[in-house]
Each structure stands twice: as structure tokens, then as C-alpha cells.
């Protein structure tokens, strides 16, 4: 069984027996500690294994696999999670703009407000990324339907007499 599968199975079992809040408390603490280290040494490309990270942060390889799953979309080159095991060497080449954006998207305030971000991006740059993130969530309907236009449902009636009632 792959480490990724062990991670997903462990999450289900953990939530079932200890509850979702307990899972997020433990996982977010581990995630915050790992990100604090990575952001503090942002100029270096970190190369390590799942097992080494688990030992360094006093956790299980499954929780570290969860961290790798979370950061994967923010890497310059995504990792095939299904082929990783505890001894696979992983190189964390991180696109920090994408990482900050993804943290905003995940609503992970405990991560995107870490003080280590100040050494990576200025306050203005972080605001710019936040503006881009907000803009990506705004849906603009370009085809506004007028009251007297044909209804888009295809009934042949005017919009105001059909779906616009």
C-alpha cells in the first residue's frame, strides 16, 4: 500500500475515532511548524525524505505525507504522490507566490499570516496576491439578460414572462 493511501486511510480512521476537530488541531500544528522552517529558509531548496521530516517534527510519516499532499500544487514541479515512500528523496522547489495564493484559497490563516512571509514578500506584494485571489473568486456574468429578451431556457417566451418572474 502506498504512503499516500496510508495517509488518506489514516485521516478517515482518525476522524472516525477522535473527531474532525482533533485531527485539524494536530495536523495544523505539524503543518505550521514545517512551513515555519521552510519559509524561514526560503532561499534554500530543501531536499529531504518523508521519514527525516517525520523524525525532525516528531510526527508520523503519514502526517508528513499529508503536508506533501498540501504543498504539492505549489511546487515548481508536482510530485507523483502515489510513488512516494518514506525513503524517497523529495526536493521542495516552491513557487512562493503560488503557495501564498493556495494558502489564501485554503483559508489557512494560521499559515498565510506567519511572520516568515515578511522575509519573502513585502506587505504590498502580499496584498497584490490577495487581490488576485479575490479576483479569481469573483464571477462576472457578461451576458446580462434583458426583461424583453427571449428566455435562455429555450421556451420561446420573453424572459420576464418565463424564468424572470
Amino acid at each position: 500500500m502506498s504512503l499516500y493511501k496510508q495517509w488518506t486511510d489514516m485521516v478517515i480512521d482518525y476522524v472516525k475515532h477522535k473527531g474532525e476537530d482533533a485531527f485539524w488541531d494536530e495536523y495544523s500544528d505539524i503543518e505550521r511548524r514545517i512551513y515555519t522552517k521552510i519559509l524561514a529558509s526560503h532561499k534554500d531548496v530543501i531536499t529531504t525524505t518523508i521519514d527525516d521530516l517525520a523524525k525532525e517534527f516528531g510526527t508520523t510519516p503519514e502526517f508528513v505525507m499529508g503536508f506533501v499532499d498540501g504543498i504539492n500544487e505549489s511546487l515548481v514541479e508536482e510530485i507523483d504522490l502515489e510513488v512516494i515512500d518514506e525513503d524517497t528523496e523529495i526536493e521542495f522547489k516552491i513557487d512562493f507566490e503560488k503557495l501564498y495564493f493556495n494558502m489564501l484559497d485554503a483559508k489557512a490563516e494560521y499559515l498565510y499570516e506567519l511572520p516568515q512571509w515578511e522575509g519573502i514578500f513585502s506587505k504590498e506584494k502580499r496584498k497584490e496576491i490577495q487581490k488576485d485571489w479575490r479576483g479569481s473568486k469573483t464571477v462576472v456574468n457578461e451576458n446580462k439578460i434583458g426583461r424583453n429578451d427571449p428566455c435562455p431556457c429555450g421556451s420561446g417566451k420573453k424572459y420576464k414572462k418565463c424564468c424572470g418572474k
Side-chain angles (χ1 to χ4, degrees):
M1 178 181 342
S2 74
L3 186 57
Y4 181 72
K5 175 82 170 114
Q6 289 173 11
W7 152 246
T8 56
D9 290 348
M10 186 271 303
V11 171
I12 293 166
D13 189 56
Y14 195 110
V15 169
K16 191 184 298 181
H17 291 94
K18 296 182 182 178
E20 192 171 339
D21 288 342
F23 167 78
W24 283 111
D25 286 345
E26 186 170 348
Y27 177 74
S28 59
D29 177 60
I30 294 163
E31 189 178 39
R32 182 188 45 74
R33 289 186 291 132
I34 296 173
Y35 273 120
T36 298
K37 176 191 175 186
I38 287 175
L39 296 175
S41 57
H42 68 278
K43 292 181 180 172
D44 304 325
V45 174
I46 297 173
T47 304
T48 188
T49 65
I50 300 272
D51 199 42
D52 288 344
L53 273 176
K55 287 175 186 168
E56 182 178 348
F57 291 97
T59 189
T60 64
E62 289 83 8
F63 271 109
V64 174
M65 183 68 213
F67 167 78
V68 173
D69 183 20
I71 198 173
N72 198 25
E73 288 183 9
S74 302
L75 298 177
V76 174
E77 290 183 36
E78 287 191 31
I79 301 168
D80 183 359
L81 300 176
E82 293 292 338
V83 300
I84 293 178
D85 64 24
E86 295 169 8
D87 299 317
T88 304
E89 201 163 88
I90 302 170
E91 191 173 69
F92 291 104
K93 286 185 183 174
I94 302 167
D95 178 339
F96 286 99
E97 281 191 41
K98 198 171 187 182
L99 178 62
Y100 193 81
F101 186 96
N102 289 339
M103 286 178 175
L104 291 167
D105 204 36
K107 297 176 179 62
E109 189 173 324
Y110 65 100
L111 295 176
Y112 66 77
E113 289 189 351
L114 286 170
Q116 287 77 10
W117 280 109
E118 293 170 15
I120 301 171
F121 297 129
S122 66
K123 194 172 204 159
E124 293 77 26
K125 180 66 175 173
R126 289 188 306 245
K127 283 184 179 182
E128 181 185 315
I129 296 169
Q130 288 174 348
K131 184 179 175 186
D132 291 344
W133 174 74
R134 274 190 227 100
S136 74
K137 301 298 166 203
T138 305
V139 177
V140 178
N141 186 359
E142 293 180 17
N143 299 331
K144 184 148 173 83
I145 304 165
R147 291 174 29 84
N148 291 314
D149 291 342
C151 191
C153 75
S155 66
K157 297 179 182 177
K158 288 185 178 183
Y159 179 69
K160 67 181 179 186
K161 297 280 186 183
C162 190
C163 295
K165 272 188 172 179

